[in-house]
Amino acid sequence: MARAQDVVAKHAALLEPLAQLFTSRGETLYMVGGSVRDAMLGRGVHDLDFTTSARPEVIREILDEWGEKVWDTGIEFGTVSAIRHGETVEITTFRSDLYDGVTRNPEVTFGDTLEGDLIRRDFACNAMAIELSLDDELRLSPTFHDPVDGLSDLVEQVLDTPQAPEVSFRDDPLRMLRAARFVSQLGFTVADRVFDAMRDMAGEIERITAERVQAELDKLMLGARPWEGIDLLVSTGVASYILPEIPALQLETDEHMQHKDVYRHSLTVLRQATELEDEGPDLKLRWAALMHDIGKPATRAPKEGGGVTFHHHEVVGAKMARKRLKALKYPKHVISDVGQLVFLHMRFHGFGEGQWTDSAVRRYVTDAGELLPKLHKLVRADSTTRNAKKAARLQRTYDHLEERIADIAAKEDLARVRPDLDGNEIMQILGLEPGPEVGKAWKYLKELRLERGELEHDEAVAELKAWWERENA
């Protein structure tokens, strides 16, 4: 409670005038939801969320007087927002919505009590409130309200619903995804009854649009422990409806087809990838880490003499990753980059220690392009062997590759590998007009550049002419 009061005190210059305006209108005002939860956890509080007895039109009138800028795009749902001194507040009238059990869009109904508003929230730890009450001198004197005992859940780091979870999830199935998201963000676990309800009602998630699913998955994937959020979705069956490629990694084994647990391996790679991040959470890297082996179930085949192979699983997996991310309505650049990382993640393993030619290094860098730093992290994270000597050898080999890349990059501009002759020179030398022949010639010179490195101008011209003669022989 002290931490939450500290947040109120920190913003007293902002909130005291606001509380005074509401009190003068005979209305109550409460800080609620994630603002209170994060304050009590000692996490940073960014946007300030409030609920109030005031109806939307009254909120608007008060904020017009208090705020520097006000917007009411959510007023039909009882929400009005404002900004003052760089701080954003969002204030919503008490709600007591009715759900139809078909969509997640409620029939908006305004309530009359704080308790009625809090009990309809997703989790008890998000259903605590701090009343911005005033003393006799009209100074802030905050009062803590916790009608559903969210503080106990906060202390125990557990997610439980204020109502029966079956009621909560039937009202809004997106709350099942929010449970997994909070597991990732906060490190909490779910109550047994919440887990059971998620398992029994997993199919209800199909009522949610792909856009809303994607938004929650983003927050989950960018959390502190995304592998735990994903594991909750898989173990409850929710993932089978929104990310079926991930539970499919739980391959059955028999005495003739032994291999590592691909699902657990993928979660480990995701965890190790997050540990390698050096500039904050990387959504594309994390998705690639989770999905890098999703092509394995489709490519698994027995190996003569025992064991199993997954030939070209990176090719199949890249296509599957693009298809799934497209279905989840991800932007094209996310789909393309994650697919390319999955496609390239095995390239390193095609070369043994010390067997990388200059040509192979150039192709590796060129094919990765701007994704090269992410590819470095993905490949390193993909080493999950318990054999310490093997793990050290793999990391040492990749160290050597990065040294080779740096060495060649110091001699050549690997970031902009281009043919030694441009299109205009090609047309002039071969006497061509613009057309497909010029493109073929350019592609040939690009391959030559990757294979042999930078050529002298006269050498490049001679190679082009020789190629043209062969093409037209």
Side-chain angles (χ1 to χ4, degrees), residues 219-413:
K219 294 171 185 177
L220 183 162
M221 291 297 286
L222 292 172
R225 306 175 71 83
W227 56 93
E228 292 185 356
I230 291 295
D231 195 36
L232 175 62
L233 293 180
V234 171
S235 58
T236 56
V238 176
S240 296
Y241 295 92
I242 58 174
L243 283 172
E245 298 82 3
I246 305 306
L249 293 172
Q250 297 173 307
L251 299 173
E252 294 182 5
T253 60
D254 59 42
E255 61 180 341
H256 303 295
M257 296 179 68
Q258 293 297 318
H259 53 78
K260 69 173 69 176
D261 184 332
V262 183
Y263 171 67
R264 288 294 161 189
H265 163 75
S266 297
L267 294 186
T268 301
V269 174
L270 174 57
R271 176 179 58 78
Q272 294 184 166
T274 66
E275 294 169 353
L276 291 172
E277 292 169 340
D278 47 19
E279 296 182 357
D282 187 328
L283 184 66
K284 293 177 181 178
L285 172 63
R286 292 182 178 199
W287 270 119
L290 178 64
M291 305 179 87
H292 75 287
D293 275 349
I294 60 173
K296 280 190 171 180
T299 57
R300 184 175 63 158
K303 185 166 56 178
E304 187 174 346
V308 62
T309 64
F310 301 101
H311 290 313
H312 304 303
H313 74 271
E314 71 278 13
V315 179
V316 174
K319 293 179 180 178
M320 293 172 65
R322 294 187 192 102
K323 183 177 180 181
R324 176 52 51 198
L325 294 176
K326 183 177 180 181
L328 289 169
K329 307 295 185 182
Y330 272 91
K332 289 182 179 179
H333 67 92
V334 175
I335 297 171
S336 175
D337 288 353
V338 173
Q340 185 69 351
L341 286 169
V342 173
F343 177 74
L344 292 174
H345 85 275
M346 288 297 293
R347 182 77 62 86
F348 162 74
H349 298 285
F351 298 87
E353 189 170 2
Q355 295 180 351
W356 282 78
T357 64
D358 286 355
S359 172
V361 173
R362 293 189 195 99
R363 291 179 188 278
Y364 191 76
V365 173
T366 302
D367 289 347
E370 295 180 352
L371 296 174
L372 185 62
K374 299 182 193 296
L375 183 60
H376 286 334
K377 295 182 179 70
L378 176 60
V379 174
R380 288 188 181 278
D382 195 22
S383 174
T384 62
T385 178
R386 296 180 181 178
N387 185 315
K389 289 184 178 180
K390 182 178 179 181
R393 184 173 69 251
L394 286 170
Q395 296 298 338
R396 186 172 61 249
T397 302
Y398 206 85
D399 288 342
H400 181 58
L401 171 59
E402 289 204 58
E403 291 168 3
R404 293 283 306 285
I405 291 172
D407 181 55
I408 295 176
K411 301 174 184 176
E412 309 172 16
D413 189 357

Side-chain angles (χ1 to χ4, degrees), residues 83-295:
I83 188 168
R84 173 169 164 156
H85 302 331
E87 293 284 353
T88 300
V89 302
E90 183 176 283
I91 305 177
T92 303
T93 301
F94 293 155
R95 297 268 293 270
S96 57
D97 301 335
L98 300 174
Y99 290 83
D100 61 12
V102 177
T103 69
R104 68 176 297 268
N105 301 317
E107 177 186 333
V108 177
T109 306
F110 298 131
D112 297 313
T113 66
L114 173 68
E115 290 74 14
D117 179 89
L118 295 179
I119 200 169
R120 55 167 287 277
R121 293 178 179 264
D122 53 5
F123 299 103
C125 64
N126 294 331
M128 298 177 289
I130 297 177
E131 183 177 359
L132 299 189
S133 46
L134 302 173
D135 61 20
D136 293 340
E137 297 180 355
L138 299 183
R139 311 298 293 180
L140 277 177
S141 179
T143 306
F144 182 61
H145 295 266
D146 186 18
V148 296
D149 200 20
L151 183 58
S152 294
D153 286 358
L154 200 71
V155 170
E156 295 174 10
Q157 297 192 326
V158 66
L159 294 166
D160 202 354
T161 51
Q163 306 178 78
E166 293 81 4
V167 174
S168 183
F169 297 157
R170 187 174 299 108
D171 283 349
D172 185 0
L174 190 66
R175 290 169 175 169
M176 294 188 288
L177 271 184
R178 288 171 64 84
R181 187 242 288 190
F182 289 131
V183 165
S184 171
Q185 290 179 327
L186 305 176
F188 285 18
T189 58
V190 297
D192 289 343
R193 68 173 191 159
V194 170
F195 182 95
D196 292 343
M198 289 178 66
R199 181 194 59 211
D200 296 342
M201 302 177 68
E204 294 289 312
I205 200 66
E206 292 188 305
R207 289 163 46 195
I208 306 301
T209 65
E211 290 84 357
R212 296 305 301 270
V213 169
Q214 182 226 108
E216 284 299 321
L217 285 176
D218 272 358
K219 294 171 185 177
L220 183 162
M221 291 297 286
L222 292 172
R225 306 175 71 83
W227 56 93
E228 292 185 356
I230 291 295
D231 195 36
L232 175 62
L233 293 180
V234 171
S235 58
T236 56
V238 176
S240 296
Y241 295 92
I242 58 174
L243 283 172
E245 298 82 3
I246 305 306
L249 293 172
Q250 297 173 307
L251 299 173
E252 294 182 5
T253 60
D254 59 42
E255 61 180 341
H256 303 295
M257 296 179 68
Q258 293 297 318
H259 53 78
K260 69 173 69 176
D261 184 332
V262 183
Y263 171 67
R264 288 294 161 189
H265 163 75
S266 297
L267 294 186
T268 301
V269 174
L270 174 57
R271 176 179 58 78
Q272 294 184 166
T274 66
E275 294 169 353
L276 291 172
E277 292 169 340
D278 47 19
E279 296 182 357
D282 187 328
L283 184 66
K284 293 177 181 178
L285 172 63
R286 292 182 178 199
W287 270 119
L290 178 64
M291 305 179 87
H292 75 287
D293 275 349
I294 60 173

